[in-house]
């Protein structure tokens, strides 16, 4: 389960450009820096990466880097914030996509898994370098994580209330669903046995088993289900 | 899900003491070094830790450290090997503990989860610093990981063959079971909401849902099950 593939970080990194005279070019430069930082953090860990490494990978001088970011921690924060905002948007959209809790949970776990498989490099940094954020930045990211957890717990509760999910502990089931999704970032290999879509479909089926979905239309038997 | 608790590494670290005139004392010193290294790697990451940090935490000089270990990578390897051997022993013993696949799977997931919750600090290092091992050491650890995966896959296959498990993809289900266990090391907090035993019991129940266990004695409904 060793993942030595460090390519594959995707997604534009957001952030304001208050003082920039050329916002488009500045945004492109920040994206380039975020991509270089993502690759460097993935390869050497946050502690083992220098701002010099990041600047070199982005093809600029350390001084030029400081025009955009005060520190490598600020880069980590920007990457982490973008990843968490995207994850929150994913789970919120999916949870609201259907009145039927089973259909919504299938969509949520599918899309969350897909995001972690496709963007596994960034997802590793987003999830495993939280301890390297400043306390202020960590507080902000933790609030986003709690919002994500709340969405999943609320959806599981909706299914229980509707009588279609049957699980002994709502919060524990929600935790396991998020845990399975996050750990994809650790084990997933882009050119390995399973495509991102296969993982997403397999985890969506598994999620309905985990919450004890009693809706026969949603729980397909082993013989009928095609997970690849 | 931020885990800033770095204490709690347990388990004696094994290893030969071929040249030591005082094997007991030497083993105790190596244990102390392994514990100090585990705490340091957990706090600063492997790349951010120096041998000086480890020696200081163990109350010895860097020169004294080198008597026992040639490098901090060797310490990581010794910690990783001990953790993986213990995990392999756990899953092998549990798989062999019952002829009934459901009983054996319940034991396996319970014991594996318990190990990752109780030894979460060490488990994080064991699972998240594989990329810092030398290629030779990584090859050896990877073989242990494959043995662990093989045990879980074989047990799921046994349940399918016996007609008590019903899951579309044996290997995918086995991967999810191990993934849930490993990710405990990331999110588990020693003094948080759930005890290690609660997590272990909850995951054992969940495992039987994941593999589609059809044995009514094993699959308890939400109303009957007590996961805490």
């Amino acid at each position: 389960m060793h993942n030595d593939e460090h390519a594959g970080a995707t997604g534009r990194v957001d952030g304001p450009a208050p003082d920039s005279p050329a916002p488009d070019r500045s945004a492109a430069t920040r994206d380039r820096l975020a991509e270089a930082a993502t690759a460097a953090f993935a390869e050497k860990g946050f502690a083992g990466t220098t701002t010099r490494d990041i600047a070199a990978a982005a093809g600029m001088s350390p001084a030029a880097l400081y025009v955009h970011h005060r520190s490598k921690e600020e880069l980590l924060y920007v990457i982490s914030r973008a990843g968490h905002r995207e994850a929150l948007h994913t789970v919120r959209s999916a949870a609201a996509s259907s009145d039927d809790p089973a259909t919504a949970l299938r969509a949520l776990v599918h899309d969350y898994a897909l995001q972690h498989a496709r963007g596994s490099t960034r997802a590793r940094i987003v999830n495993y370098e939280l301890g390297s954020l400043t306390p202020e930045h960590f507080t902000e990211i933790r609030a986003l994580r709690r919002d994500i957890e709340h969405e999943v717990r609320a959806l599981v509760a909706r299914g229980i209330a509707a009588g279609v999910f049957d699980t002994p502990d709502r919060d524990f089931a929600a935790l396991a669903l998020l845990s399975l999704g996050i750990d994809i970032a650790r084990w997933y290999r882009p050119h390995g046995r399973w495509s991102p879509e296969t993982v997403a479909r397999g985890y969506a089926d598994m999620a309905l088993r985990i919450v004890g979905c009693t809706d026969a239309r949603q729980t397909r038997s082993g013989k009928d289900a095609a997970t690849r």
Side-chain angles (χ1 to χ4, degrees), chain A residues 1 94 105 119 162 204 216 227:
Chain A
M1 293 193 182
L105 188 69
T227 63

Side-chain angles (χ1 to χ4, degrees), chain A residues 62-220:
Chain A
L65 184 152
Y66 286 114
V67 172
H68 299 277
H69 296 286
R70 275 165 295 181
S71 64
K72 65 170 178 167
E73 189 278 334
E74 194 180 272
L75 262 165
L76 175 65
Y77 161 67
V78 166
I79 293 164
S80 189
R81 187 182 56 184
H84 281 93
R85 282 180 179 171
E86 205 177 287
L88 178 58
H89 176 74
T90 296
V91 299
R92 263 199 190 140
S93 303
S97 69
S98 174
D99 286 337
D100 174 44
T103 303
L105 188 69
R106 183 184 283 286
L108 187 153
V109 171
H110 176 279
D111 296 353
Y112 190 72
L114 201 61
Q115 194 167 64
H116 283 77
R118 285 193 179 148
S120 57
T121 304
R122 188 178 70 168
R124 280 202 299 285
I125 291 147
V126 160
N127 285 293
Y128 300 140
E129 295 285 8
L130 291 170
S132 301
L133 293 169
T134 63
E136 294 71 26
H137 285 159
F138 174 65
T139 299
E140 189 184 329
I141 299 297
R142 187 176 53 191
L144 288 167
R145 292 177 82 83
R146 287 184 174 162
D147 287 347
I148 293 167
E149 289 160 28
H150 173 76
E151 289 292 338
V152 182
R153 278 201 297 268
L155 179 53
V156 175
R158 179 146 67 95
I160 293 170
V164 291
F165 296 169
D166 177 23
T167 182
D169 187 323
R170 176 196 70 164
D171 293 355
F172 197 68
L175 180 146
L177 295 176
L178 286 170
S179 179
L180 271 175
I182 289 169
D183 198 55
I184 292 171
R186 181 189 58 79
W187 66 261
Y188 188 74
R189 271 170 292 206
H191 305 293
R193 179 168 170 187
W194 290 294
S195 72
E197 183 55 44
T198 300
V199 173
R201 278 211 306 271
Y203 273 20
D205 287 344
M206 216 178 275
L208 293 175
R209 291 174 176 234
I210 286 173
V211 298
C213 180
T214 54
D215 182 344
R217 292 165 304 170
Q218 295 288 347
T219 51
R220 300 175 293 173

Side-chain angles (χ1 to χ4, degrees), chain A residues 8 50 131 135:
Chain A
T50 63

Side-chain angles (χ1 to χ4, degrees), chain A residues 17 24 61 63 140 161 174:
Chain A
D24 284 349
S61 69
E140 189 184 329

